[in-house]
Amino acid sequence: MICIINGPNLNLLGKRQPEIYGSRSFESFLEELRREFHDTEIEYFQSNHEGEIIDKLHKLGYETPECSGIVMNPGAFAHYSYAIADAVASINTPVVEVHISNIHARDEFRHKSVTAPYCKGMLTGFGLQGYRLAIISLNQTTSDSNGNS
């Protein structure tokens, strides 16, 4: 199982700043991902609240052994939430950070992610396709760790 965690304001995808984030809702994209990765259970969680994201990371990292990886778009929390960074650092489940827009081409405060150093990798600027690439990466990691090639 792969879990996607979306942070603040990502519940507004398709409505909020379509020139930056596109005009597609995440729910419609999630349906597409589930069809494409039909052999992978995909759980989805979104919250505008830092503590709920931390609780979800803890649950997935310690109480959900079937979770083989997490795709996380922490939204603006990426730039200042040391609490979420600590939560990611505290679990063994691999996390791939995703940002829909290229954070390095935006406001200077967005250029640094405090959560990324604790992640397996980061994808930024690929639009919603970043989620797809993260799932491919996590599925490959799981396959490699199980001795498959």
Side-chain angles (χ1 to χ4, degrees):
M1 173 177 70
I2 301 284
C3 184
I4 298 172
I5 299 176
N6 272 343
N9 300 309
L10 291 165
N11 56 309
L12 298 176
L13 285 178
K15 300 173 189 169
R16 173 185 173 232
Q17 297 176 285
E19 68 280 4
I20 295 174
Y21 301 107
S23 57
R24 188 167 187 191
S25 75
F26 193 80
E27 289 72 17
S28 80
F29 183 66
L30 181 60
E31 289 175 20
E32 182 180 311
L33 288 176
R34 286 180 170 149
R35 281 192 303 273
E36 180 178 346
F37 297 101
H38 56 86
D39 291 336
T40 302
E41 180 184 348
I42 299 174
E43 180 182 321
Y44 176 59
F45 177 80
Q46 187 279 326
S47 180
N48 294 315
H49 305 282
E50 184 178 30
E52 289 181 359
I53 294 169
I54 293 165
D55 289 344
K56 187 66 171 179
L57 286 164
H58 289 174
K59 182 175 182 180
L60 292 170
Y62 291 107
E63 301 171 26
T64 313
E66 63 273 14
C67 180
S68 60
I70 299 168
V71 177
M72 179 180 71
N73 184 338
F77 287 141
H79 313 298
Y80 65 88
S81 179
Y82 293 99
I84 291 176
D86 287 347
V88 173
S90 75
I91 63 174
N92 291 325
T93 307
V95 177
V96 174
E97 185 169 318
V98 170
H99 294 278
I100 296 167
S101 66
N102 180 352
I103 63 173
H104 303 288
R106 299 192 58 201
D107 312 285
E108 189 174 336
F109 79 90
R110 297 181 196 274
H111 294 184
K112 181 176 179 172
S113 168
V114 300
T115 51
Y118 306 102
C119 294
K120 178 182 184 292
M122 181 204 288
L123 293 156
T124 179
F126 292 98
L128 292 175
Q129 298 309 314
Y131 292 89
R132 175 177 279 115
L133 296 170
I135 292 169
I136 291 168
S137 172
L138 288 167
N139 278 341
Q140 184 63 48
T141 299
T142 301
S143 177
D144 289 347
S145 67
N146 289 334
N148 300 328
S149 50

